[in-house]
Amino acid sequence: VPLVSSPTSSPTRTSSATPTLPQPTGSPTLPQPTLSPTSKPTNSPAFAFVSEQEYDAIDADIAALSAAFGNDNISRAHFLGGIVRLVAHDFMDFDITNEAIPMGSDGCIDMDHPDNSGLPQDVWCDGCPLTEVYDNNFSHISKADFWIAAANAVIRIASNNELNLKNDYVSGRVDAESCVDQGARLPAASGCDAVEGVFVERLGLTRTDAVALLGAHTIGRGNEDFSGHHGIWVDTEAQSVVWNKRYYEEFFRRAWIPRNRNDPAVQDWTWGGNNDDSPRFFLNTDLCLAFDIEVTFPCCSDTSQGQNCDRNGQVLRNTQCASYPAGSPREEFADAVELFAGLRAGGGFNNDNTPFFSAFASAWGKATTNGLGDLVPLVSSPTSSPTRTSSATPTLPQPTGSPTLPQPTLSPTSKPTNSPAFAFVSEQEYDAIDADIAALSAAFGNDNISRAHFLGGIVRLVAHDFMDFDITNEAIPMGSDGCIDMDHPDNSGLPQDVWCDGCPLTEVYDNNFSHISKADFWIAAANAVIRIASNNELNLKNDYVSGRVDAESCVDQGARLPAASGCDAVEGVFVERLGLTRTDAVALLGAHTIGRGNEDFSGHHGIWVDTEAQSVVWNKRYYEEFFRRAWIPRNRNDPAVQDWTWGGNNGDSPRFFLNTDLCLAFDIEVTFPCCSDTSQGQNCDRNGQVLRNTQCASYPAGSPREEFADAVELFAGLRAGGGFNNDNTPFFSAFASAWGKATTNGLGDLVPLVSSPNSFPTPLQSSSVPTFGTGTADGSTSVCDLLDVLSVSFQYFFYY
């Protein structure tokens, strides 16, 4: 994930004392810095997403470590350059052609391999300052994520804030446990065959990307104790701690000649001029970017400098290093070097770092994310990586009330120990939620009344949570935030025995998924209901996103829900406040195809379809009912529970529609009371009403509400000659789209399912499950209390 704007739990330092960073053995000397305050969780599993606060803390610690070197630019360059190279050696082992073991940024480097010898042993080692910062403060995130954040800090600091990669940073990488022979995939020092082999063929980058990434040599130094190559890539020690385009200028400023020609293992290039105490050097993989050194070795890169080509026992003033021939793919290398150097046609260089900085940012982003599809940017809420504490099936207390919800045998799920809410949801957790809902559903056996009550209640729980969103209210937008004002009568349609203390669904959450928000859990559970009830025809897993944060209170949230009056309410909520289309509204109300109304909760009793068996199936039958039945008013003398029923025999489960249902196809406001299909004659004359001559009106041509009616006909699959097709696709597609919009309204920091669980660095102060039922300290009702009261006539849309 890209950076999260608040820490994955805003980790808190376990001690306010500055950690003691042991002094590494070796050269150069890395001093003891005074670290800036950072944060570290206790007992949190690796690997968390990185929050904005954590990213900034890493940046501050790298700045402190850098500042501690004072005027010692040799040691500073060694340290800062080492961090950037640590990341490069981690990502350069990626192989796009190796699906079995792609490697890449996985926090694993085979330090026994000679091709990793260029990495300084005293930058990442037991007791080294950078390692101590990680171990003491950031070990809850992966090394791969930490190294990249640290390298980004180096680049920001060394560029004097000109190149800040914070907005491009993503996290969620998982460290590999082993990577034997990883170094064998790194570029050898031979030349551009190696550059192309690694960067172009295996990393899948362009040649321009490769030149940009090699620009990292502008900072740091080679150390003969490690790699056998000694010196800096720029002109002075002071320049070797600055991130700019000077590296590229050096291609044209110097007369580069071979060094150590008699030892291929350490052969490189040096400047013929005076090198002082820090030799200027280029590797073969540097100089080959501008010159074809393979066809002219040994040679001098600029014979116009005469005597500078004749050094170290070599006379090369007449042997110019060749340029790449026209049409060669490697011309792209040379063109990029000239572009990034800012080489002027008349000589000299411009002062514009932008071409290099832009190209580097792009290439760095590609290289550090290669093969990783589950990374996300900074998000506003923390994330956690749940780990099962026990494989035991939780005991789900039996709720009191009707219908009866049996004790299911739950499928294995996962729950972390001492992990705070609200984690992102991993694929494993999503599947576990799905499996638990399937187990709860199966436990009802042949009792479709109870099953419909339970499954429909889960979907309506989500609907009541998202229908309070108000696009016009920037101060308190609400939306999917796990908070429902159950004291409000407009939430009366929610069943008390679906979400309550001791209820099976609540127990599943408390025992296994309390580290994620209720909002995220409810949506995942509802998605499971839809998948199960549609017999896998509508699977919303690929569209699911998580990262919602539960609100602590939402007094009068219910006042934003649609009243039962009709389509004024539908438009007011779905169109004006949720910002959806009328077609979206019709699609979402199709959720009535599953579930039932219960007069004990809402005052509305019955099912929206024809049979109890149909009330547990997710399909387009709800829309067909608009045209199959002669709908007439019910409870006309009591506006609070007035709805519509079918004039035919209703058996034990009356078929009913709410005003907010029937208004989608008929203009019931102008013709009330009326019958929806007067061609059915006597079915319109029931309950003391004679309505066979009063047809419910259609919407006039040009009315915006024609969109409602058109969508109902489309989703029903109404044939021109009568009857219905068997195609659920129009409804399923429209529902998936509308559901996605409604459940993410106003939320910009949500991420798709990740392939491995995410961890949340700071543990709860107590591992006990909070006790609900007493309200909150400020007198408002807690989410669980609110849901405890679950049920009042959802005389609106997702009325229960």
Side-chain angles (χ1 to χ4, degrees), residues 138-328:
F138 301 103
S139 59
H140 55 283
I141 66 176
S142 67
K143 288 189 289 288
D145 283 344
F146 174 76
W147 291 345
I148 294 167
N152 284 5
V154 168
I155 294 165
R156 182 197 64 77
I157 295 161
S159 70
N160 195 27
N161 295 312
E162 273 194 65
L163 182 54
N164 190 332
L165 299 170
K166 178 177 177 178
N167 289 338
D168 299 325
Y169 178 84
V170 291
S171 70
R173 299 165 186 84
V174 177
D175 292 339
E177 294 182 3
S178 67
C179 51
V180 177
D181 281 338
Q182 164 266 355
R185 297 187 181 186
L186 301 183
S190 56
C192 278
D193 283 347
V195 174
E196 288 173 323
V198 171
F199 289 92
V200 179
E201 295 168 16
R202 294 209 291 271
L203 270 70
L205 306 177
T206 67
R207 290 175 174 83
T208 300
D209 290 331
V211 175
L213 290 172
L214 286 167
H217 283 160
T218 202
I219 194 172
R221 57 186 296 108
N223 190 302
E224 57 192 347
D225 292 337
F226 301 129
S227 65
H229 300 278
H230 185 60
I232 56 178
W233 282 265
V234 288
D235 191 35
T236 67
E237 297 296 354
Q239 290 170 354
S240 70
V241 295
V242 177
W243 188 278
N244 60 16
K245 67 185 181 71
R246 180 67 191 223
Y247 162 78
Y248 302 104
E249 295 181 10
E250 293 298 322
F251 282 83
F252 309 104
R253 290 181 179 273
R254 311 300 169 199
W256 296 99
I257 58 174
R259 181 174 66 168
N260 305 321
R261 281 177 58 184
N262 296 325
D263 188 351
V266 292
Q267 183 267 311
D268 52 26
W269 300 74
T270 191
W271 171 37
N274 180 15
N275 278 318
D276 300 321
D277 295 329
S278 288
R280 288 68 169 171
F281 84 105
F282 265 17
L283 299 169
N284 287 325
T285 46
D286 295 306
L287 203 66
C288 75
L289 300 178
F291 303 100
D292 192 348
I293 55 175
E294 294 176 12
V295 301
T296 49
F297 186 86
C299 59
C300 178
S301 67
D302 184 1
T303 53
S304 70
Q305 295 193 31
Q307 65 180 10
N308 284 338
C309 295
D310 300 339
R311 297 287 179 114
N312 303 330
Q314 303 173 100
V315 180
L316 296 172
R317 68 173 64 197
N318 296 318
T319 310
Q320 172 66 43
C321 295
S323 299
Y324 289 112
S328 167

Side-chain angles (χ1 to χ4, degrees), residues 341-424:
L343 188 63
R344 293 193 176 106
F349 306 92
N350 65 31
N351 295 315
D352 186 8
N353 287 309
T354 306
F356 165 43
F357 285 5
S358 297
F360 181 86
S362 173
W364 183 257
K366 297 175 192 175
T368 56
T369 61
N370 245 335
L372 303 171
D374 294 322
L375 307 181
V376 303
L378 283 172
V379 294
S380 58
S381 61
T383 65
S384 69
S385 175
T387 303
R388 173 174 289 288
T389 57
S390 168
S391 60
T393 299
T395 301
L396 303 188
Q398 194 69 291
T400 303
S402 168
T404 301
L405 302 185
Q407 289 289 319
T409 302
L410 293 185
S411 60
T413 54
S414 55
K415 188 189 178 187
T417 302
N418 293 338
S419 179
F422 303 109
F424 289 125

Side-chain angles (χ1 to χ4, degrees), residues 449-523:
I449 290 179
S450 294
R451 177 180 287 108
H453 173 87
F454 177 70
L455 297 183
I458 295 174
V459 177
R460 286 157 185 67
L461 197 61
V462 173
H464 279 241
D465 193 24
F466 72 60
M467 285 194 302
D468 57 19
F469 179 75
D470 187 347
I471 199 172
T472 67
N473 190 330
E474 294 184 8
I476 310 175
M478 295 192 183
S480 292
D481 58 8
C483 193
I484 296 175
D485 178 10
M486 294 310 302
D487 290 334
H488 198 283
D490 287 341
N491 281 310
S492 60
L494 291 173
Q496 294 177 3
D497 51 359
V498 168
W499 187 263
C500 60
D501 287 342
C503 289
L505 181 68
T506 316
E507 287 292 305
V508 168
Y509 175 78
D510 288 343
N511 290 334
N512 297 283
F513 302 103
S514 59
H515 56 282
I516 66 175
S517 67
K518 287 185 281 294
D520 282 344
F521 174 78
W522 291 345
I523 294 167

